[in-house]
Amino acid sequence: MRYIGNKENILDKIFSILSKHGVSGNSFFDFFSGTTNVAKFYKKKGYEVHCSDVMYMSYCLQKAYIENGEEPQFKTLIQTLEMSANGSLFATPLEIVLEYLNEIPDVAGFIYNNYTPSGTKDLAQPRMYFSDENGLRIDAIRTQIEDWKNSALITTSEYFILLACLIETISFYANVAGVYAAFHKKWDPRAVKRLNMRPIEIIPNAKSHYVHCANSLDLVNDINVDILYLDPPYNERQYLPNYHLVETIAAYDSPNIRGVTGMRDYGNKKSSFCNAKTAIRDLEYIASNAKFKYLVLSYNSEGIMPQKQIISMLSKYGNVVLEEFEYLRFKSNNNGLAKTKKHINEQLYILTKYE
Ligand SMILES: C[S@@+](CC[C@H](N)C(=O)[O-])C[C@H]1O[C@@H](n2cnc3c(N)ncnc32)[C@H](O)[C@@H]1O
């Protein structure tokens, strides 16, 4: 998934740097989990994984990728609705269910009514986040998943797996340049293709893993892990405005919305890491109160917390090493419509706590 600060392309690099410094153990907490890519990586390495994020969309991904450890069988659903594979003999139960969802009748609901051109035709500027057809598909699929959960045809873990499939799928059809802070005024060819649900990767694993939808600061006193990995926002841009529509599809809570973009209110999801002063204050709160062997802060050379301040503050709690490497990044401009390539320095601050 395209997500600001997504670490997908540098996971191996991060792992090799941390290994070089002896940062290892049995448990790993991905404290600002976003797409869950870092948590997934450490789950595959055999760690007991914990993760948290303030966004509900991230929580859905956490439940599906991290907490769940087995291939979903959808037994009750498949038996009750007598579903069968039309396409392939070897279709998994998840693929059978997604195939079914791809064919259910359209529904004109919250997404069609607020984020498609026909649904918003009375606005001065009709919204073009999704084509009419795909708005109807999203409402149909999202409503169906909720109905199945309410009538106990799917388990909680199957519910979140389907939500994760929908969250991952919509990014292939949204008429945006990566973030939802603006929509294109012309159709991107991807956005006019009919939406087809895509299966997510299931990561089988017998261990227990723990996931949270929370402000990480509220979890600090309950933490006791080997590696506490922090990947907070690094500039003033809050996450919710950039992903408001994904959050709304995940929660499907018909929020009050406003403005040209149909933004939901996000007062309770503002991050203190988007302000230099509160960021360093809260980083210190985490470093001083959480129990860990190693704290790793992923940051970069453009971050709002000054390097000197980070190092001098963290040094109060243990030995600090800073590792940097260059990374080519796509950078959106303010309204998210232009993209330029930019080299920045990724940074890993590694704090080994005093015994
Ligand atoms: C840089 S992104 C993390 C990217 C992630 N490592 C990945 O690979 O996808 C920062 C994340 O921190 C979350 N966030 C910001 N402030 C938070 C807080 N106080 N508590 C929990 N999550 C927070 C944002 O919602 C966002 O998902």
Side-chain angles (χ1 to χ4, degrees):
M1 167 190 287
R2 292 169 75 187
Y3 196 71
I4 300 169
N6 181 355
K7 298 292 175 288
E8 189 171 17
N9 296 329
I10 52 173
L11 290 167
D12 287 323
K13 184 80 187 166
I14 293 175
F15 184 71
S16 77
I17 291 176
L18 296 187
S19 302
K20 185 179 89 183
H21 288 281
V23 178
S24 62
N26 299 313
S27 52
F28 182 95
F29 204 133
D30 184 10
F31 217 36
F32 297 82
S33 195
T35 60
T36 77
N37 280 326
V38 183
K40 272 194 239 177
F41 184 89
Y42 273 85
K43 179 178 174 186
K44 289 176 188 168
K45 293 272 177 210
Y47 279 72
E48 172 194 289
V49 171
H50 304 243
C51 35
S52 64
D53 199 286
V54 75
M55 302 277 281
Y56 186 71
M57 56 167 279
S58 168
Y59 180 68
C60 297
L61 301 176
Q62 293 171 36
K63 293 281 279 185
Y65 287 125
I66 307 302
E67 189 185 79
N68 172 62
E70 35 184 64
E71 285 290 340
Q73 296 305 317
F74 293 100
K75 252 192 173 157
T76 310
L77 183 69
I78 288 178
Q79 270 172 16
T80 311
L81 300 189
E82 297 178 353
M83 291 178 184
S84 58
N86 295 325
S88 151
L89 269 183
F90 305 107
T92 63
L94 176 58
E95 286 165 346
I96 292 174
V97 173
L98 296 184
E99 212 175 285
Y100 181 95
L101 283 173
N102 283 333
E103 301 304 327
I104 59 175
D106 290 345
V107 170
F110 194 80
I111 302 305
Y112 172 80
N113 288 329
N114 292 293
Y115 299 102
T116 68
S118 295
T120 59
K121 62 181 183 316
D122 296 333
L123 294 179
Q125 185 171 23
R127 299 189 186 115
M128 294 174 60
Y129 277 106
F130 292 109
S131 67
D132 290 348
E133 181 188 28
N134 285 340
L136 296 166
R137 298 306 312 140
I138 293 170
D139 280 320
I141 291 166
R142 185 64 187 83
T143 308
Q144 182 68 88
I145 295 172
E146 203 64 28
D147 287 351
W148 283 343
K149 185 191 82 173
N150 291 339
S151 39
L153 288 175
I154 52 179
T155 64
T156 304
S157 125
E158 289 165 350
Y159 172 72
F160 281 106
I161 287 167
L162 293 178
L163 289 189
C165 292
L166 181 59
I167 290 168
E168 296 281 14
T169 296
I170 55 177
S171 66
F172 293 98
Y173 300 93
N175 194 35
V176 300
V179 296
Y180 294 76
F183 50 84
H184 289 308
K185 309 300 177 291
K186 290 196 174 132
W187 290 108
D188 186 309
R190 299 173 313 139
V192 292
K193 293 193 180 132
R194 180 183 156 92
L195 181 144
N196 257 304
M197 288 282 274
R198 302 176 179 217
I200 59 159
E201 177 189 14
I202 302 293
I203 307 170
N205 195 294
K207 279 204 168 116
S208 293
H209 304 282
Y210 306 90
V211 304
H212 308 270
C213 184
N215 183 333
S216 293
L217 298 169
D218 295 337
L219 303 174
V220 163
N221 294 318
D222 301 325
I223 290 174
N224 193 348
V225 288
D226 294 328
I227 307 174
L228 178 57
Y229 174 78
L230 313 181
D231 186 15
Y234 65 91
N235 64 19
E236 283 93 357
R237 291 172 77 192
Q238 295 284 346
Y239 272 74
L240 199 127
N242 284 307
Y243 299 98
H244 67 99
L245 192 41
V246 189
E247 188 76 352
T248 294
I249 291 170
Y252 214 53
D253 51 355
S254 306
N256 288 327
I257 58 173
R258 62 190 167 78
V260 175
T261 63
M263 175 86 68
R264 59 187 290 139
D265 180 49
Y266 63 100
N268 60 347
K269 300 220 169 173
K270 280 195 177 148
S271 176
S272 60
F273 286 87
C274 296
N275 168 291
K277 268 195 188 146
T278 50
I280 198 89
R281 178 198 70 196
D282 289 346
L283 180 61
E284 175 149 25
Y285 176 72
I286 296 169
S288 61
N289 289 293
K291 293 196 182 75
F292 55 83
K293 284 190 189 142
Y294 309 100
L295 178 149
V296 177
L297 171 68
S298 262
Y299 218 52
N300 67 56
S301 48
E302 299 195 323
I304 54 178
M305 289 190 280
Q307 179 174 319
K308 266 190 175 168
Q309 265 187 43
I310 298 176
I311 294 179
S312 76
M313 185 278 287
L314 289 181
S315 300
K316 291 193 226 164
Y317 303 98
N319 182 50
V320 179
V321 176
L322 169 60
E323 284 272 4
E324 294 191 84
F325 55 96
E326 207 176 62
Y327 177 54
L328 183 65
R329 197 181 260 212
F330 286 100
K331 199 172 145 55
S332 299
N333 71 3
N334 282 340
N335 64 12
L337 293 182
K339 280 182 288 168
T340 48
K341 283 183 185 174
K342 198 169 177 199
H343 282 279
I344 56 162
N345 272 356
E346 279 292 332
Q347 304 175 320
L348 289 173
Y349 294 83
I350 304 169
L351 164 65
T352 307
K353 210 170 194 178
Y354 293 134
E355 292 291 323

